[in-house]
Amino acid sequence: MAPTSPPDVVVVGAGIVGIAAACHLVEDGRRVLLIDREEPARGASFGNAGGFAFSDVMPLASPGIMRKAPKWLLDPLGPLAIPPSYLPRIAPWLLRFWRASWPDRVRASMVAQAAMMRLAREAMAALVGRAGAGAMVHSDGALELYESEAELRAALPGWEARAKEGIVFEHLRGDAIGALQPGLAPIFPVATFVPGWQTVEDPHRFALALLDYAQRLGATVRRARVHAVTPREGGAAIVLEGGETVEANHAVIAAGAWSRPLAAGTGDRIPLETERGYNTTLPPGAFDLRRQLTFPGHGFVVTPIGGGVRVGGAVELGGLTRPPDFRRSATMLAKAQRFLPGLRAEGGVQWMGFRPSLPDSLPAIGPSRASPRIIHAFGHGHLGLTQSAATGRIVAALVAGRRPPLDIAPFSPQRF
Ligand SMILES: Cc1cc2nc3c(=O)[nH]c(=O)nc-3n(C[C@H](O)[C@H](O)[C@H](O)COP(=O)(O)OP(=O)(O)OC[C@H]3O[C@@H](n4cnc5c(N)ncnc54)[C@H](O)[C@@H]3O)c2cc1C
């Protein structure tokens, strides 16, 4: 892009969602400017678990989680935590979350999520291919490990519901589990293997590879904090901190967990909160990990990342400003050592990330109330990496005035 040509589209936020949107927009021939207050992909997209979780179609607010939540909440360093001082602030979100766990809502949310995941799988494979990033994606499946037959039995309704959506999996016992992952403590009599699950080599490097592709096609990146996005005749004005305004024909708000005030400026009051997640990344040689392992009773996963091992997950409903409590990373690492006795825990790097989460576990994708030229694309919760390419495809269609590749009504930013 010549420095003087104004952008067709400004994408606010260069996380994986904004980057994937930029990829699809430049492929459509648009002049795209990505604006981020930090280096690209330093938010949630930096240190996540790297999974393409196409089988994760159950909303978090499911009967299973509601059953586990009371026990989890009793442990301040457990898989689910709410700092007491944040409780009044998040109470309205929790109320919506609870409502989202009712059977009618769970069913509706799951149908929408399954449709999104079908698109996500196809759009991601296609984008990875075009960007030449195929070598960064591993198709090893994931293994979910249960400590008892009763634990699996409790999970069966969820698996049956997934089967109806065409998701392939297999319940395994005995040696079949050890064949897929040697070195497990002998405390997992039963497991579920999901062959369609994929992981990326490293989510940060993956995001940068997609950004590099977008830049090769002409996208540009600028470092600035966006203060507001407002409609203008025939376009949008992106107001930067300090007062400078960038004008464009369209704007996309893809600022992850920080999107709420920007959306509010376009007339959309969206109950976006953050589910803070924690992990520790161990260096190469930490463990011979064959694929992603999930410990559903403990709310964390162990993933091969960058030749090493990333141990983490958990949900802390604690807002955007409280400092991280890395005892959470340490707690999960200690559990992982119990479950994988040969795990070498030294040399780890701890991280905390802000998942952008809506109470019904569906993202907000669609035009803003103020203008069809300002498009929201945030709120992907635990699934932003997985759904980034699908979101990019939808955003590009909306900008072009094409019919989106799936019914976006369930993802409407105005649904709350
Ligand atoms: C521990 C953990 C594990 C996870 N594992 C997975 C997984 O395995 N698979 C999966 O699919 N998802 C996973 N996720 C979720 C995933 O990381 C997020 O859904 C996804 O990264 C969100 O991407 P994003 O682009 O919307 O947000 P972000 O990556 O957070 O990007 C938002 C960007 O907006 C910028 N920004 C914010 N406000 C402004 C402003 N005012 N002006 C300019 N720039 C601004 C920020 O600097 C940031 O770069 C995980 C998350 C966590 C925390």
Side-chain angles (χ1 to χ4, degrees), residues 93-168:
W93 189 94
L94 288 174
L95 197 62
R96 288 178 191 271
F97 184 82
W98 171 70
R99 179 65 184 92
S101 74
W102 293 13
D104 59 327
R105 296 280 179 95
V106 170
R107 182 75 208 137
S109 174
M110 193 164 157
V111 169
Q113 198 70 295
M116 172 63 88
M117 287 303 193
R118 281 189 287 275
L119 176 66
R121 173 184 291 283
E122 194 240 303
M124 182 59 85
L127 178 60
V128 163
R130 294 193 303 273
M136 296 178 124
V137 179
H138 303 302
S139 302
D140 300 321
L143 194 59
E144 192 148 330
L145 294 153
Y146 305 102
E147 285 159 275
S148 65
E149 289 284 348
E151 195 185 351
L152 171 68
R153 265 198 309 281
L156 284 179
W159 288 112
E160 279 154 21
R162 288 184 187 96
K164 287 197 191 114
E165 300 299 338
I167 289 159
V168 176

Side-chain angles (χ1 to χ4, degrees), residues 26-311:
V26 281
E27 287 176 334
D28 263 3
R30 314 263 161 211
R31 286 188 310 278
V32 176
L33 171 63
L34 271 156
I35 302 183
D36 201 300
R37 62 187 180 190
E38 293 187 50
E39 291 292 316
R42 302 301 296 198
S45 306
F46 178 80
N48 61 53
F52 292 165
F54 301 120
S55 55
D56 259 10
V57 297
M58 287 289 278
L60 196 70
S62 64
I65 292 290
M66 299 314 269
R67 208 174 38 245
K68 291 177 195 166
K71 183 177 144 219
W72 281 356
L73 281 168
L74 284 178
D75 175 0
L77 294 178
L80 175 63
I82 309 175
S85 61
Y86 199 67
L87 198 53
R89 172 82 200 272
I90 201 163
W93 189 94
L94 288 174
L95 197 62
R96 288 178 191 271
F97 184 82
W98 171 70
R99 179 65 184 92
S101 74
W102 293 13
D104 59 327
R105 296 280 179 95
V106 170
R107 182 75 208 137
S109 174
M110 193 164 157
V111 169
Q113 198 70 295
M116 172 63 88
M117 287 303 193
R118 281 189 287 275
L119 176 66
R121 173 184 291 283
E122 194 240 303
M124 182 59 85
L127 178 60
V128 163
R130 294 193 303 273
M136 296 178 124
V137 179
H138 303 302
S139 302
D140 300 321
L143 194 59
E144 192 148 330
L145 294 153
Y146 305 102
E147 285 159 275
S148 65
E149 289 284 348
E151 195 185 351
L152 171 68
R153 265 198 309 281
L156 284 179
W159 288 112
E160 279 154 21
R162 288 184 187 96
K164 287 197 191 114
E165 300 299 338
I167 289 159
V168 176
F169 57 85
E170 190 185 353
H171 301 309
L172 304 174
R173 289 178 176 77
D175 292 347
I177 300 172
L180 286 178
Q181 181 55 63
L184 288 167
I187 55 170
F188 302 104
V190 57
T192 304
F193 180 54
V194 186
W197 192 287
Q198 296 174 304
T199 48
V200 291
E201 180 68 30
D202 178 298
H204 180 226
R205 289 207 297 114
F206 179 72
L208 294 185
L210 294 191
L211 177 62
D212 179 59
Y213 169 65
Q215 287 180 303
R216 278 185 271 136
L217 294 183
T220 53
V221 182
R222 177 167 174 190
R223 192 158 171 180
R225 183 184 294 268
V226 172
H227 181 66
V229 181
T230 55
R232 278 281 159 87
E233 183 70 35
I238 297 87
V239 185
L240 308 183
E241 198 176 57
E244 186 193 341
T245 296
V246 180
E247 306 238 351
N249 297 326
H250 288 88
V252 179
I253 298 179
W258 299 272
S259 301
R260 187 176 177 147
L262 296 175
T266 71
D268 289 307
R269 287 166 54 86
I270 301 180
L272 182 71
E273 272 292 342
T274 182
E275 293 176 66
R276 297 146 57 109
Y278 290 82
N279 56 36
T280 306
T281 305
L282 302 170
F287 192 76
D288 177 18
L289 187 62
R290 307 286 170 89
R291 49 188 39 83
Q292 180 163 310
L293 308 178
T294 306
F295 302 99
H298 302 271
F300 76 96
V301 301
V302 177
T303 319
I305 297 280
V309 171
R310 183 164 289 166
V311 178

Side-chain angles (χ1 to χ4, degrees), residues 96 358-365 379 409-416:
R96 288 178 191 271
L358 290 161
D360 58 3
S361 299
L362 301 178
I365 308 173
F411 310 101
S412 166
Q414 289 83 35
R415 69 184 182 274
F416 299 102

